[in-house]
Amino acid sequence: DTGVSQNPRHKITKRGQNVTFRCDPISEHNRLYWYRQTLGQGPEFLTYFQNEAQLEKSRLLSDRFSAERPKGSFSTLEIQRTEQGDSAMYLCASSLGFDGTDTQYFGPGTRLTVL
Amino acid sequence: DQQVKQNSPSLSVQEGRISILNCDYTNSMFDYFLWYKKYPAEGPTFLISISSIKDKNEDGRFTVFLNKSAKHLSLHIVPSQPGDSAVYFCASTVYNFNKFYFGSGTKLNVKP
C-alpha cells in the first residue's frame, strides 16, 4: 500500500472555472476527510465521509463546493466558479474508522492557484 | 474562531538539545490531542497523541505533556536531530466528534 494519493498535485485555473480534485485513500480505510490549508495556517476541516455517507460539512464549504465518495472508495472535491480566495492547498486524509481517535493519514495535497 | 493556537511560528535548536513546542486550546470539551509533523511537499504525518485521561505520553524521543487546567499541551523532543526539522502541528478534537482542529504550526530548525 502506497498511502493516500491525490491528483492532480498542482492546478492553476482562471477565476470562474470549475475544478475537480481526486483522493484515493488507503484501501481498507472507511473514513475520508478533506481539509484546506492556506499559507501560514494549519489544515482546516471541510468535510468527512464514513464509507459513502457524507456525515459533516464545515460552514467553510460554501454552495460552490461539493464532495462525493461513490461506493465508499475514492473521493472527489469539486469547486464551481472558482474565486481567488479558493487558492489553497487541499488535503485529503483517511482513517480506519473504528472510533473518533483513529490516526488520520494525509495525502500530499493538491495546490490550487486561481488567477 | 481559532480554537487551537501555536504562538511560536518558528523555533531553532542545536542538535542534541531539547526542543519544546507549545500549543494552547480554548475549547474545554476537547479530550484528545495530537501532534503531526510535516515536511515540504508532503502531507502531515502523525507523530504522537494523548487523551485527556493522561497528562503525559512518551514514544521514543517524543513526549507530549497535557495540562488540562491551563488548556496547554507541549511536545518535547530529546535529543533533537537535524532530521526533526519540519513544521509541527498540534490538533485537538472531542472524542468521536470526527472534526479535528489544527494549530497554525511551528517550524522547527535543528542545527547540526
Side-chain angles (χ1 to χ4, degrees):
Chain A
D1 193 339
T2 56
V4 179
S5 62
Q6 293 186 246
N7 288 288
R9 295 291 306 274
H10 303 273
K11 179 69 177 179
I12 300 174
T13 190
K14 292 182 180 179
R15 189 176 52 188
Q17 298 294 304
N18 299 344
V19 293
T20 300
F21 310 139
R22 176 177 170 128
C23 171
D24 287 273
I26 294 172
S27 58
E28 66 268 25
H29 283 186
N30 295 320
R31 287 206 185 121
L32 186 147
Y33 301 79
W34 284 100
Y35 291 86
R36 182 176 71 184
Q37 185 179 12
T38 53
L39 195 63
Q41 299 299 315
E44 293 177 286
F45 172 84
L46 291 179
T47 187
Y48 95 96
F49 293 83
Q50 176 77 33
N51 299 310
E52 66 273 12
Q54 188 174 16
L55 297 186
E56 183 163 353
K57 294 196 300 184
S58 164
R59 61 177 183 237
L60 293 173
L61 217 64
S62 75
D63 291 346
R64 298 184 297 104
F65 288 70
S66 62
E68 294 182 344
R69 193 184 182 196
K71 303 178 183 177
S73 55
F74 70 92
S75 176
T76 58
L77 178 68
E78 181 184 16
I79 309 174
Q80 296 182 328
R81 305 181 304 281
T82 52
E83 302 172 355
Q84 287 184 326
D86 297 331
S87 295
M89 176 74 82
Y90 290 84
L91 293 163
C92 173
S94 68
S95 69
L96 280 168
F98 290 148
D99 63 38
T101 59
D102 285 340
T103 297
Q104 295 186 21
Y105 295 84
F106 282 83
T110 295
R111 180 169 296 283
L112 173 65
T113 302
V114 181
L115 302 176
Chain B
D1 59 338
Q2 196 170 0
Q3 301 194 46
V4 178
K5 296 180 182 179
Q6 293 177 257
N7 292 318
S8 298
S10 64
L11 175 67
S12 188
V13 170
Q14 203 68 36
E15 180 180 6
R17 306 295 287 268
I18 184 171
S19 296
I20 301 176
L21 295 93
N22 294 301
C23 179
D24 297 293
Y25 62 96
T26 58
N27 190 336
S28 58
M29 297 294 291
F30 287 154
D31 55 9
Y32 188 64
F33 307 87
L34 311 92
W35 285 93
Y36 280 82
K37 180 167 75 172
K38 185 183 182 305
Y39 293 118
E42 296 181 10
T45 56
F46 170 76
L47 194 56
I48 192 169
S49 64
I50 188 169
S51 75
S52 59
I53 61 173
K54 293 184 175 183
D55 54 16
K56 177 182 173 181
N57 189 26
E58 282 183 84
D59 184 1
R61 296 185 297 113
F62 302 91
T63 303
V64 56
F65 295 91
L66 175 63
N67 183 333
K68 291 185 288 292
S69 60
K71 296 191 181 69
H72 177 84
L73 66 154
S74 60
L75 175 69
H76 292 209
I77 307 174
V78 184
S80 302
Q81 299 174 353
D84 297 328
S85 297
V87 177
Y88 290 78
F89 293 100
C90 66
S92 305
T93 188
V94 177
Y95 182 80
N96 261 340
F97 192 50
N98 290 303
K99 186 173 179 179
F100 290 75
Y101 295 86
F102 284 78
S104 54
T106 296
K107 185 173 184 180
L108 174 66
N109 179 33
V110 180
K111 296 178 287 187

mmCIF file with all atom_site columns, all heavy atoms in Angstrom, chain A residues 28-47:
data_model
loop_
_atom_site.group_PDB
_atom_site.id
_atom_site.type_symbol
_atom_site.label_atom_id
_atom_site.label_alt_id
_atom_site.label_comp_id
_atom_site.label_asym_id
_atom_site.label_entity_id
_atom_site.label_seq_id
_atom_site.pdbx_PDB_ins_code
_atom_site.Cartn_x
_atom_site.Cartn_y
_atom_site.Cartn_z
_atom_site.occupancy
_atom_site.B_iso_or_equiv
_atom_site.pdbx_formal_charge
_atom_site.auth_seq_id
_atom_site.auth_comp_id
_atom_site.auth_asym_id
_atom_site.auth_atom_id
_atom_site.pdbx_PDB_model_num
ATOM 1   N N   . GLU A 1 28 ? -8.196  -0.046 2.959  1.00 0.00 ? 28 GLU A N   1
ATOM 2   C CA  . GLU A 1 28 ? -9.112  -0.576 3.977  1.00 0.00 ? 28 GLU A CA  1
ATOM 3   C C   . GLU A 1 28 ? -9.707  0.507  4.874  1.00 0.00 ? 28 GLU A C   1
ATOM 4   O O   . GLU A 1 28 ? -10.442 0.213  5.810  1.00 0.00 ? 28 GLU A O   1
ATOM 5   C CB  . GLU A 1 28 ? -8.401  -1.612 4.852  1.00 0.00 ? 28 GLU A CB  1
ATOM 6   C CG  . GLU A 1 28 ? -7.284  -1.065 5.707  1.00 0.00 ? 28 GLU A CG  1
ATOM 7   C CD  . GLU A 1 28 ? -5.932  -1.141 5.049  1.00 0.00 ? 28 GLU A CD  1
ATOM 8   O OE1 . GLU A 1 28 ? -5.887  -1.159 3.793  1.00 0.00 ? 28 GLU A OE1 1
ATOM 9   O OE2 . GLU A 1 28 ? -4.919  -1.170 5.772  1.00 0.00 ? 28 GLU A OE2 1
ATOM 10  N N   . HIS A 1 29 ? -9.424  1.767  4.563  1.00 0.00 ? 29 HIS A N   1
ATOM 11  C CA  . HIS A 1 29 ? -9.904  2.866  5.410  1.00 0.00 ? 29 HIS A CA  1
ATOM 12  C C   . HIS A 1 29 ? -11.340 3.256  5.067  1.00 0.00 ? 29 HIS A C   1
ATOM 13  O O   . HIS A 1 29 ? -11.683 3.473  3.903  1.00 0.00 ? 29 HIS A O   1
ATOM 14  C CB  . HIS A 1 29 ? -8.992  4.081  5.260  1.00 0.00 ? 29 HIS A CB  1
ATOM 15  C CG  . HIS A 1 29 ? -7.711  3.948  6.004  1.00 0.00 ? 29 HIS A CG  1
ATOM 16  N ND1 . HIS A 1 29 ? -6.804  4.976  6.108  1.00 0.00 ? 29 HIS A ND1 1
ATOM 17  C CD2 . HIS A 1 29 ? -7.179  2.908  6.700  1.00 0.00 ? 29 HIS A CD2 1
ATOM 18  C CE1 . HIS A 1 29 ? -5.763  4.567  6.834  1.00 0.00 ? 29 HIS A CE1 1
ATOM 19  N NE2 . HIS A 1 29 ? -5.975  3.313  7.193  1.00 0.00 ? 29 HIS A NE2 1
ATOM 20  N N   . ASN A 1 30 ? -12.168 3.357  6.104  1.00 0.00 ? 30 ASN A N   1
ATOM 21  C CA  . ASN A 1 30 ? -13.574 3.687  5.909  1.00 0.00 ? 30 ASN A CA  1
ATOM 22  C C   . ASN A 1 30 ? -13.844 5.184  5.943  1.00 0.00 ? 30 ASN A C   1
ATOM 23  O O   . ASN A 1 30 ? -14.821 5.652  5.375  1.00 0.00 ? 30 ASN A O   1
ATOM 24  C CB  . ASN A 1 30 ? -14.426 3.005  6.994  1.00 0.00 ? 30 ASN A CB  1
ATOM 25  C CG  . ASN A 1 30 ? -14.384 1.500  6.876  1.00 0.00 ? 30 ASN A CG  1
ATOM 26  O OD1 . ASN A 1 30 ? -14.423 0.955  5.780  1.00 0.00 ? 30 ASN A OD1 1
ATOM 27  N ND2 . ASN A 1 30 ? -14.283 0.821  8.002  1.00 0.00 ? 30 ASN A ND2 1
ATOM 28  N N   . ARG A 1 31 ? -13.003 5.919  6.658  1.00 0.00 ? 31 ARG A N   1
ATOM 29  C CA  . ARG A 1 31 ? -13.247 7.360  6.790  1.00 0.00 ? 31 ARG A CA  1
ATOM 30  C C   . ARG A 1 31 ? -12.327 8.138  5.861  1.00 0.00 ? 31 ARG A C   1
ATOM 31  O O   . ARG A 1 31 ? -11.159 7.792  5.684  1.00 0.00 ? 31 ARG A O   1
ATOM 32  C CB  . ARG A 1 31 ? -13.018 7.827  8.231  1.00 0.00 ? 31 ARG A CB  1
ATOM 33  C CG  . ARG A 1 31 ? -14.108 7.380  9.167  1.00 0.00 ? 31 ARG A CG  1
ATOM 34  C CD  . ARG A 1 31 ? -14.260 8.276  10.355 1.00 0.00 ? 31 ARG A CD  1
ATOM 35  N NE  . ARG A 1 31 ? -15.261 7.700  11.255 1.00 0.00 ? 31 ARG A NE  1
ATOM 36  C CZ  . ARG A 1 31 ? -15.032 7.352  12.512 1.00 0.00 ? 31 ARG A CZ  1
ATOM 37  N NH1 . ARG A 1 31 ? -13.845 7.559  13.040 1.00 0.00 ? 31 ARG A NH1 1
ATOM 38  N NH2 . ARG A 1 31 ? -15.987 6.825  13.236 1.00 0.00 ? 31 ARG A NH2 1
ATOM 39  N N   . LEU A 1 32 ? -12.877 9.207  5.305  1.00 0.00 ? 32 LEU A N   1
ATOM 40  C CA  . LEU A 1 32 ? -12.110 10.055 4.410  1.00 0.00 ? 32 LEU A CA  1
ATOM 41  C C   . LEU A 1 32 ? -12.440 11.511 4.744  1.00 0.00 ? 32 LEU A C   1
ATOM 42  O O   . LEU A 1 32 ? -13.610 11.861 4.888  1.00 0.00 ? 32 LEU A O   1
ATOM 43  C CB  . LEU A 1 32 ? -12.440 9.739  2.941  1.00 0.00 ? 32 LEU A CB  1
ATOM 44  C CG  . LEU A 1 32 ? -11.606 10.440 1.879  1.00 0.00 ? 32 LEU A CG  1
ATOM 45  C CD1 . LEU A 1 32 ? -11.443 9.529  0.653  1.00 0.00 ? 32 LEU A CD1 1
ATOM 46  C CD2 . LEU A 1 32 ? -12.210 11.768 1.465  1.00 0.00 ? 32 LEU A CD2 1
ATOM 47  N N   . TYR A 1 33 ? -11.404 12.319 4.869  1.00 0.00 ? 33 TYR A N   1
ATOM 48  C CA  . TYR A 1 33 ? -11.553 13.715 5.271  1.00 0.00 ? 33 TYR A CA  1
ATOM 49  C C   . TYR A 1 33 ? -10.975 14.633 4.185  1.00 0.00 ? 33 TYR A C   1
ATOM 50  O O   . TYR A 1 33 ? -9.992  14.289 3.542  1.00 0.00 ? 33 TYR A O   1
ATOM 51  C CB  . TYR A 1 33 ? -10.770 14.000 6.560  1.00 0.00 ? 33 TYR A CB  1
ATOM 52  C CG  . TYR A 1 33 ? -11.163 13.170 7.749  1.00 0.00 ? 33 TYR A CG  1
ATOM 53  C CD1 . TYR A 1 33 ? -10.723 11.863 7.899  1.00 0.00 ? 33 TYR A CD1 1
ATOM 54  C CD2 . TYR A 1 33 ? -11.947 13.718 8.764  1.00 0.00 ? 33 TYR A CD2 1
ATOM 55  C CE1 . TYR A 1 33 ? -11.068 11.107 9.007  1.00 0.00 ? 33 TYR A CE1 1
ATOM 56  C CE2 . TYR A 1 33 ? -12.293 12.969 9.883  1.00 0.00 ? 33 TYR A CE2 1
ATOM 57  C CZ  . TYR A 1 33 ? -11.846 11.676 9.995  1.00 0.00 ? 33 TYR A CZ  1
ATOM 58  O OH  . TYR A 1 33 ? -12.187 10.933 11.098 1.00 0.00 ? 33 TYR A OH  1
ATOM 59  N N   . TRP A 1 34 ? -11.567 15.791 4.052  1.00 0.00 ? 34 TRP A N   1
ATOM 60  C CA  . TRP A 1 34 ? -10.996 16.863 3.228  1.00 0.00 ? 34 TRP A CA  1
ATOM 61  C C   . TRP A 1 34 ? -10.696 18.060 4.126  1.00 0.00 ? 34 TRP A C   1
ATOM 62  O O   . TRP A 1 34 ? -11.518 18.442 4.982  1.00 0.00 ? 34 TRP A O   1
ATOM 63  C CB  . TRP A 1 34 ? -11.962 17.294 2.122  1.00 0.00 ? 34 TRP A CB  1
ATOM 64  C CG  . TRP A 1 34 ? -12.061 16.352 0.962  1.00 0.00 ? 34 TRP A CG  1
ATOM 65  C CD1 . TRP A 1 34 ? -13.032 15.426 0.711  1.00 0.00 ? 34 TRP A CD1 1
ATOM 66  C CD2 . TRP A 1 34 ? -11.149 16.271 -0.146 1.00 0.00 ? 34 TRP A CD2 1
ATOM 67  N NE1 . TRP A 1 34 ? -12.779 14.762 -0.468 1.00 0.00 ? 34 TRP A NE1 1
ATOM 68  C CE2 . TRP A 1 34 ? -11.637 15.268 -1.018 1.00 0.00 ? 34 TRP A CE2 1
ATOM 69  C CE3 . TRP A 1 34 ? -9.973  16.940 -0.493 1.00 0.00 ? 34 TRP A CE3 1
ATOM 70  C CZ2 . TRP A 1 34 ? -10.998 14.928 -2.208 1.00 0.00 ? 34 TRP A CZ2 1
ATOM 71  C CZ3 . TRP A 1 34 ? -9.343  16.598 -1.668 1.00 0.00 ? 34 TRP A CZ3 1
ATOM 72  C CH2 . TRP A 1 34 ? -9.842  15.606 -2.523 1.00 0.00 ? 34 TRP A CH2 1
ATOM 73  N N   . TYR A 1 35 ? -9.504  18.650 3.899  1.00 0.00 ? 35 TYR A N   1
ATOM 74  C CA  . TYR A 1 35 ? -9.083  19.835 4.615  1.00 0.00 ? 35 TYR A CA  1
ATOM 75  C C   . TYR A 1 35 ? -8.593  20.870 3.606  1.00 0.00 ? 35 TYR A C   1
ATOM 76  O O   . TYR A 1 35 ? -8.162  20.530 2.504  1.00 0.00 ? 35 TYR A O   1
ATOM 77  C CB  . TYR A 1 35 ? -7.909  19.529 5.557  1.00 0.00 ? 35 TYR A CB  1
ATOM 78  C CG  . TYR A 1 35 ? -8.235  18.666 6.750  1.00 0.00 ? 35 TYR A CG  1
ATOM 79  C CD1 . TYR A 1 35 ? -8.209  17.282 6.657  1.00 0.00 ? 35 TYR A CD1 1
ATOM 80  C CD2 . TYR A 1 35 ? -8.532  19.242 7.983  1.00 0.00 ? 35 TYR A CD2 1
ATOM 81  C CE1 . TYR A 1 35 ? -8.481  16.488 7.763  1.00 0.00 ? 35 TYR A CE1 1
ATOM 82  C CE2 . TYR A 1 35 ? -8.808  18.452 9.093  1.00 0.00 ? 35 TYR A CE2 1
ATOM 83  C CZ  . TYR A 1 35 ? -8.773  17.083 8.970  1.00 0.00 ? 35 TYR A CZ  1
ATOM 84  O OH  . TYR A 1 35 ? -9.044  16.295 10.064 1.00 0.00 ? 35 TYR A OH  1
ATOM 85  N N   . ARG A 1 36 ? -8.588  22.120 4.031  1.00 0.00 ? 36 ARG A N   1
ATOM 86  C CA  . ARG A 1 36 ? -7.988  23.184 3.242  1.00 0.00 ? 36 ARG A CA  1
ATOM 87  C C   . ARG A 1 36 ? -6.932  23.851 4.112  1.00 0.00 ? 36 ARG A C   1
ATOM 88  O O   . ARG A 1 36 ? -7.143  24.087 5.311  1.00 0.00 ? 36 ARG A O   1
ATOM 89  C CB  . ARG A 1 36 ? -9.052  24.214 2.838  1.00 0.00 ? 36 ARG A CB  1
ATOM 90  C CG  . ARG A 1 36 ? -8.525  25.330 1.971  1.00 0.00 ? 36 ARG A CG  1
ATOM 91  C CD  . ARG A 1 36 ? -9.630  26.252 1.525  1.00 0.00 ? 36 ARG A CD  1
ATOM 92  N NE  . ARG A 1 36 ? -10.145 27.063 2.623  1.00 0.00 ? 36 ARG A NE  1
ATOM 93  C CZ  . ARG A 1 36 ? -11.170 27.891 2.499  1.00 0.00 ? 36 ARG A CZ  1
ATOM 94  N NH1 . ARG A 1 36 ? -11.799 28.002 1.345  1.00 0.00 ? 36 ARG A NH1 1
ATOM 95  N NH2 . ARG A 1 36 ? -11.577 28.594 3.532  1.00 0.00 ? 36 ARG A NH2 1
ATOM 96  N N   . GLN A 1 37 ? -5.791  24.129 3.491  1.00 0.00 ? 37 GLN A N   1
ATOM 97  C CA  . GLN A 1 37 ? -4.705  24.788 4.214  1.00 0.00 ? 37 GLN A CA  1
ATOM 98  C C   . GLN A 1 37 ? -4.224  25.990 3.426  1.00 0.00 ? 37 GLN A C   1
ATOM 99  O O   . GLN A 1 37 ? -3.810  25.856 2.270  1.00 0.00 ? 37 GLN A O   1
ATOM 100 C CB  . GLN A 1 37 ? -3.543  23.824 4.458  1.00 0.00 ? 37 GLN A CB  1
ATOM 101 C CG  . GLN A 1 37 ? -2.434  24.415 5.305  1.00 0.00 ? 37 GLN A CG  1
ATOM 102 C CD  . GLN A 1 37 ? -1.300  23.453 5.559  1.00 0.00 ? 37 GLN A CD  1
ATOM 103 O OE1 . GLN A 1 37 ? -1.209  22.395 4.933  1.00 0.00 ? 37 GLN A OE1 1
ATOM 104 N NE2 . GLN A 1 37 ? -0.428  23.794 6.486  1.00 0.00 ? 37 GLN A NE2 1
ATOM 105 N N   . THR A 1 38 ? -4.283  27.162 4.038  1.00 0.00 ? 38 THR A N   1
ATOM 106 C CA  . THR A 1 38 ? -3.758  28.368 3.417  1.00 0.00 ? 38 THR A CA  1
ATOM 107 C C   . THR A 1 38 ? -2.412  28.695 4.051  1.00 0.00 ? 38 THR A C   1
ATOM 108 O O   . THR A 1 38 ? -2.044  28.167 5.103  1.00 0.00 ? 38 THR A O   1
ATOM 109 C CB  . THR A 1 38 ? -4.733  29.537 3.576  1.00 0.00 ? 38 THR A CB  1
ATOM 110 O OG1 . THR A 1 38 ? -5.076  29.674 4.971  1.00 0.00 ? 38 THR A OG1 1
ATOM 111 C CG2 . THR A 1 38 ? -6.006  29.295 2.779  1.00 0.00 ? 38 THR A CG2 1
ATOM 112 N N   . LEU A 1 39 ? -1.696  29.589 3.401  1.00 0.00 ? 39 LEU A N   1
ATOM 113 C CA  . LEU A 1 39 ? -0.322  29.892 3.798  1.00 0.00 ? 39 LEU A CA  1
ATOM 114 C C   . LEU A 1 39 ? -0.251  30.360 5.250  1.00 0.00 ? 39 LEU A C   1
ATOM 115 O O   . LEU A 1 39 ? -0.985  31.249 5.665  1.00 0.00 ? 39 LEU A O   1
ATOM 116 C CB  . LEU A 1 39 ? 0.240   30.973 2.862  1.00 0.00 ? 39 LEU A CB  1
ATOM 117 C CG  . LEU A 1 39 ? 1.757   31.161 2.899  1.00 0.00 ? 39 LEU A CG  1
ATOM 118 C CD1 . LEU A 1 39 ? 2.438   29.889 2.424  1.00 0.00 ? 39 LEU A CD1 1
ATOM 119 C CD2 . LEU A 1 39 ? 2.166   32.345 2.035  1.00 0.00 ? 39 LEU A CD2 1
ATOM 120 N N   . GLY A 1 40 ? 0.613   29.714 6.015  1.00 0.00 ? 40 GLY A N   1
ATOM 121 C CA  . GLY A 1 40 ? 0.810   30.113 7.398  1.00 0.00 ? 40 GLY A CA  1
ATOM 122 C C   . GLY A 1 40 ? -0.230  29.601 8.366  1.00 0.00 ? 40 GLY A C   1
ATOM 123 O O   . GLY A 1 40 ? -0.216  29.968 9.547  1.00 0.00 ? 40 GLY A O   1
ATOM 124 N N   . GLN A 1 41 ? -1.145  28.781 7.870  1.00 0.00 ? 41 GLN A N   1
ATOM 125 C CA  . GLN A 1 41 ? -2.193  28.230 8.726  1.00 0.00 ? 41 GLN A CA  1
ATOM 126 C C   . GLN A 1 41 ? -2.133  26.708 8.746  1.00 0.00 ? 41 GLN A C   1
ATOM 127 O O   . GLN A 1 41 ? -1.508  26.088 7.894  1.00 0.00 ? 41 GLN A O   1
ATOM 128 C CB  . GLN A 1 41 ? -3.569  28.666 8.213  1.00 0.00 ? 41 GLN A CB  1
ATOM 129 C CG  . GLN A 1 41 ? -3.770  30.168 8.203  1.00 0.00 ? 41 GLN A CG  1
ATOM 130 C CD  . GLN A 1 41 ? -3.665  30.763 9.588  1.00 0.00 ? 41 GLN A CD  1
ATOM 131 O OE1 . GLN A 1 41 ? -4.230  30.246 10.556 1.00 0.00 ? 41 GLN A OE1 1
ATOM 132 N NE2 . GLN A 1 41 ? -2.934  31.863 9.706  1.00 0.00 ? 41 GLN A NE2 1
ATOM 133 N N   . GLY A 1 42 ? -2.787  26.127 9.734  1.00 0.00 ? 42 GLY A N   1
ATOM 134 C CA  . GLY A 1 42 ? -2.908  24.687 9.760  1.00 0.00 ? 42 GLY A CA  1
ATOM 135 C C   . GLY A 1 42 ? -4.078  24.222 8.910  1.00 0.00 ? 42 GLY A C   1
ATOM 136 O O   . GLY A 1 42 ? -4.874  25.039 8.429  1.00 0.00 ? 42 GLY A O   1
ATOM 137 N N   . PRO A 1 43 ? -4.198  22.928 8.718  1.00 0.00 ? 43 PRO A N   1
ATOM 138 C CA  . PRO A 1 43 ? -5.341  22.414 7.954  1.00 0.00 ? 43 PRO A CA  1
ATOM 139 C C   . PRO A 1 43 ? -6.666  22.785 8.616  1.00 0.00 ? 43 PRO A C   1
ATOM 140 O O   . PRO A 1 43 ? -6.797  22.716 9.838  1.00 0.00 ? 43 PRO A O   1
ATOM 141 C CB  . PRO A 1 43 ? -5.119  20.900 7.980  1.00 0.00 ? 43 PRO A CB  1
ATOM 142 C CG  . PRO A 1 43 ? -3.653  20.725 8.222  1.00 0.00 ? 43 PRO A CG  1
ATOM 143 C CD  . PRO A 1 43 ? -3.262  21.871 9.102  1.00 0.00 ? 43 PRO A CD  1
ATOM 144 N N   . GLU A 1 44 ? -7.648  23.177 7.798  1.00 0.00 ? 44 GLU A N   1
ATOM 145 C CA  . GLU A 1 44 ? -8.990  23.478 8.280  1.00 0.00 ? 44 GLU A CA  1
ATOM 146 C C   . GLU A 1 44 ? -9.944  22.421 7.755  1.00 0.00 ? 44 GLU A C   1
ATOM 147 O O   . GLU A 1 44 ? -9.997  22.156 6.551  1.00 0.00 ? 44 GLU A O   1
ATOM 148 C CB  . GLU A 1 44 ? -9.446  24.841 7.779  1.00 0.00 ? 44 GLU A CB  1
ATOM 149 C CG  . GLU A 1 44 ? -8.676  26.022 8.331  1.00 0.00 ? 44 GLU A CG  1
ATOM 150 C CD  . GLU A 1 44 ? -9.162  27.315 7.717  1.00 0.00 ? 44 GLU A CD  1
ATOM 151 O OE1 . GLU A 1 44 ? -8.850  27.564 6.530  1.00 0.00 ? 44 GLU A OE1 1
ATOM 152 O OE2 . GLU A 1 44 ? -9.870  28.071 8.394  1.00 0.00 ? 44 GLU A OE2 1
ATOM 153 N N   . PHE A 1 45 ? -10.731 21.852 8.652  1.00 0.00 ? 45 PHE A N   1
ATOM 154 C CA  . PHE A 1 45 ? -11.668 20.802 8.292  1.00 0.00 ? 45 PHE A CA  1
ATOM 155 C C   . PHE A 1 45 ? -12.715 21.319 7.302  1.00 0.00 ? 45 PHE A C   1
ATOM 156 O O   . PHE A 1 45 ? -13.295 22.392 7.487  1.00 0.00 ? 45 PHE A O   1
ATOM 157 C CB  . PHE A 1 45 ? -12.360 20.300 9.567  1.00 0.00 ? 45 PHE A CB  1
ATOM 158 C CG  . PHE A 1 45 ? -13.494 19.352 9.341  1.00 0.00 ? 45 PHE A CG  1
ATOM 159 C CD1 . PHE A 1 45 ? -13.255 18.006 9.168  1.00 0.00 ? 45 PHE A CD1 1
ATOM 160 C CD2 . PHE A 1 45 ? -14.804 19.804 9.294  1.00 0.00 ? 45 PHE A CD2 1
ATOM 161 C CE1 . PHE A 1 45 ? -14.302 17.117 8.966  1.00 0.00 ? 45 PHE A CE1 1
ATOM 162 C CE2 . PHE A 1 45 ? -15.857 18.933 9.098  1.00 0.00 ? 45 PHE A CE2 1
ATOM 163 C CZ  . PHE A 1 45 ? -15.599 17.590 8.930  1.00 0.00 ? 45 PHE A CZ  1
ATOM 164 N N   . LEU A 1 46 ? -12.954 20.538 6.251  1.00 0.00 ? 46 LEU A N   1
ATOM 165 C CA  . LEU A 1 46 ? -14.013 20.866 5.294  1.00 0.00 ? 46 LEU A CA  1
ATOM 166 C C   . LEU A 1 46 ? -15.187 19.895 5.402  1.00 0.00 ? 46 LEU A C   1
ATOM 167 O O   . LEU A 1 46 ? -16.340 20.305 5.521  1.00 0.00 ? 46 LEU A O   1
ATOM 168 C CB  . LEU A 1 46 ? -13.468 20.839 3.861  1.00 0.00 ? 46 LEU A CB  1
ATOM 169 C CG  . LEU A 1 46 ? -12.481 21.937 3.483  1.00 0.00 ? 46 LEU A CG  1
ATOM 170 C CD1 . LEU A 1 46 ? -12.010 21.741 2.037  1.00 0.00 ? 46 LEU A CD1 1
ATOM 171 C CD2 . LEU A 1 46 ? -13.091 23.318 3.658  1.00 0.00 ? 46 LEU A CD2 1
ATOM 172 N N   . THR A 1 47 ? -14.879 18.589 5.325  1.00 0.00 ? 47 THR A N   1
ATOM 173 C CA  . THR A 1 47 ? -15.946 17.601 5.354  1.00 0.00 ? 47 THR A CA  1
ATOM 174 C C   . THR A 1 47 ? -15.351 16.227 5.605  1.00 0.00 ? 47 THR A C   1
ATOM 175 O O   . THR A 1 47 ? -14.132 16.047 5.480  1.00 0.00 ? 47 THR A O   1
ATOM 176 C CB  . THR A 1 47 ? -16.729 17.599 4.025  1.00 0.00 ? 47 THR A CB  1
ATOM 177 O OG1 . THR A 1 47 ? -17.879 16.743 4.136  1.00 0.00 ? 47 THR A OG1 1
ATOM 178 C CG2 . THR A 1 47 ? -15.875 17.114 2.861  1.00 0.00 ? 47 THR A CG2 1
#
